[in-house]
Amino acid sequence: LARDVAANYLNSCAKDAILFTNGDNDTFPLWYAQEVEGVKTDVRVCNLMLLNTDWYIDQMKFKANESAPLPITLPSKKYYDGVNNQVFIVEKTKDPVDIKTIIDWVNSDNKATKVQASPTELLDIIPSRTIRIPVDADKVIASGTVRPEDRDKIVPYIDIKLKGNSILKSTLIVLDILAHNNWERPIYYVSGYHPDALGLEEYFQLEGLAYRLVPIKSSNKNILDYGRIDSRVLYDNVRKFQWRGANNPKVDIDYNHKRTILVVRARLVYARLAKQLAAEGKYETAVQVLDDCMKVLPLETLSYDPYMPDVIEAYFEAGAIDKATQMSKDLASYYYSHLDYYLKQDKYIVRSADYEIETAFTYTSKVADSCTNFGKKDVGEEITKNLDGYYHKYVSIVQPGTKQP
């Protein structure tokens, strides 16, 4: 599975992409896939953790396989070990500053662009908290970043709002890349909501396991459900996914592999695609996507996870009411059995199982809401009634004597 997850990441990216990864587990398998199996060698994997080191930044300035060098303009004197490990934000203006100007400012030898840290030390600074990335609509359409029919959705610029008192070296280099890429190469992140994502999640587009930076603003629901969806791109990429062994009952899928499936939000990707297809009136295709999900990532080998309620909700939205209803009942029964087990244990064990108990309530409650919202009120009410009973029992164990409604 590690190899297939890596290939799925790479195959989520358009040609000649730059893919920002976060750490070891989402980088090393991708290197293997590229260097050993030759998967998408035009994509440049850029590890954000290693981007804090001078030797790795130097590597990014060279061609690798089919990937051209990254557009890093800062010279080594601005990032070698011990230099600009941390770059402080000293606001010279409250106004937005063009991203290329920010890099020019850091690269300048003019003392006016520095702060005097000591009689012998001048430090580079970031002169504004708001950094502006300009957008050329013609260019982003020509490069395939945005479809021509979506021209009216393109924003004239993207503002980065820096937080805290400083940025790390890796963030400085990411800013350099964004400044000088000029919307020419596709830029992807494996995930958002970390410092090097720079708060750009509103401009993410989910294209598989990776998110593409696009100049179209979207409304994000939460830290799991973010990024707009182009259903044609996402559908094509999801159809390429491989999860070999995941549906084979003879294969032992250990904790680490199960956790990987969770971390990459595999089922959620299918669910989000299906919901988008349903919203576009493509109900049969939406159901097909969900059926594929349950075929390659079945409950028999990969049990219920936080994203199964989303899969069930997507079935409802796609019009597969009977299937979604039965899946809701099955999920409820699964978590009832867990609650039955935990709530007959001693108090200290019940307290130690708080997370498992709370997730059982959360996921089951979510499918109850879906049932109610999609015309299966009787099923939703029955699940809710059962959950109320379990909750009262839970409270009586952990907080005996508490008055309950």
Side-chain angles (χ1 to χ4, degrees), residues 242-254:
Q242 290 183 309
W243 309 98
R244 291 175 298 179
N247 60 357
N248 187 345
K250 294 182 179 180
V251 174
D252 177 30
I253 303 177
D254 64 13

Side-chain angles (χ1 to χ4, degrees), residues 41 67 72 126 132 146 239 261 318 335 354 373 404:
T41 54
S67 167
I72 299 172
I126 303 296
R132 178 160 291 178
V146 177
R239 297 289 287 175
I261 296 297
Y335 284 112
D354 267 353
N373 293 337
Q404 299 184 51

Side-chain angles (χ1 to χ4, degrees), residues 96-382:
V97 175
D98 184 271
I99 191 167
K100 286 185 179 178
T101 302
I102 293 290
I103 299 303
D104 289 343
W105 185 282
V106 172
N107 197 28
S108 172
D109 291 326
N110 189 330
K111 289 185 179 181
T113 65
K114 320 298 174 192
V115 294
Q116 193 85 42
S118 71
T120 59
E121 186 177 23
L122 286 172
L123 295 181
D124 292 320
I125 62 166
I126 303 296
S128 175
R129 287 192 176 278
T130 304
I131 300 175
R132 178 160 291 178
I133 305 173
V135 177
D136 182 329
D138 291 333
K139 194 161 194 175
V140 296
I141 290 174
S143 68
T145 303
V146 177
R147 295 183 185 277
E149 58 265 35
D150 289 332
R151 173 182 279 273
D152 62 331
K153 299 175 184 175
I154 298 173
V155 296
Y157 55 81
I158 295 174
D159 280 348
I160 296 170
K161 306 281 189 179
L162 297 179
K163 298 179 181 179
N165 297 319
S166 64
I167 63 172
L168 296 179
K169 183 181 296 181
S170 60
T171 306
L172 175 63
I173 301 302
V174 170
L175 289 173
D176 193 2
I177 293 169
L178 293 176
H180 296 96
N181 184 55
N182 296 316
W183 296 101
E184 292 170 3
R185 296 176 68 173
I187 290 181
Y188 291 82
Y189 287 82
V190 298
S191 65
Y193 294 101
H194 55 82
D196 286 316
L198 297 167
L200 292 169
E201 293 83 3
E202 287 183 323
Y203 300 95
F204 279 6
Q205 180 168 286
L206 180 63
E207 296 196 354
L209 295 189
Y211 298 85
R212 185 172 184 170
L213 180 65
V214 298
I216 298 176
K217 191 170 185 177
S218 58
S219 298
N220 297 332
K221 295 180 181 178
N222 52 57
I223 61 171
L224 295 177
D225 192 348
Y226 59 92
R228 74 186 298 270
I229 290 176
D230 181 324
S231 63
R232 284 177 285 180
V233 174
L234 185 54
Y235 179 80
D236 288 344
N237 288 341
V238 165
R239 297 289 287 175
K240 302 173 192 172
F241 282 178
Q242 290 183 309
W243 309 98
R244 291 175 298 179
N247 60 357
N248 187 345
K250 294 182 179 180
V251 174
D252 177 30
I253 303 177
D254 64 13
Y255 165 80
N256 291 305
H257 284 88
K258 289 178 180 177
R259 183 175 181 276
T260 296
I261 296 297
L262 282 177
V263 169
V264 302
R265 304 166 190 162
R267 284 174 174 154
L268 183 61
V269 173
Y270 286 89
R272 291 195 62 198
L273 171 58
K275 289 181 180 181
Q276 180 62 34
L277 289 167
E280 295 171 6
K282 302 172 184 176
Y283 301 110
E284 289 184 9
T285 307
V287 171
Q288 171 230 317
V289 166
L290 296 168
D291 287 347
D292 287 348
C293 174
M294 299 314 299
K295 180 180 179 180
V296 297
L297 301 169
L299 292 169
E300 290 75 18
T301 55
L302 292 164
S303 193
Y304 290 93
D305 63 22
Y307 311 121
M308 273 308 298
D310 294 281
V311 171
I312 293 171
E313 185 177 50
Y315 267 118
F316 273 120
E317 292 186 18
I321 304 299
D322 291 342
K323 177 176 282 191
T325 302
Q326 185 57 52
M327 291 177 73
S328 298
K329 292 178 180 178
D330 292 344
L331 180 145
S333 295
Y334 174 83
Y335 284 112
Y336 292 161
S337 66
H338 281 224
L339 291 170
D340 285 333
Y341 172 78
Y342 287 122
L343 297 181
K344 68 181 180 183
Q345 306 302 319
D346 292 337
K347 179 179 179 179
Y348 81 95
I349 295 178
V350 173
R351 284 186 176 277
S352 69
D354 267 353
Y355 174 78
E356 288 78 6
I357 293 170
E358 288 172 7
T359 54
F361 284 128
T362 300
Y363 304 153
T364 312
S365 178
K366 187 170 182 178
V367 299
D369 289 342
S370 293
C371 289
T372 301
N373 293 337
F374 289 93
K376 291 295 181 178
K377 188 176 180 181
D378 55 333
V379 178
E381 289 179 346
E382 180 183 357

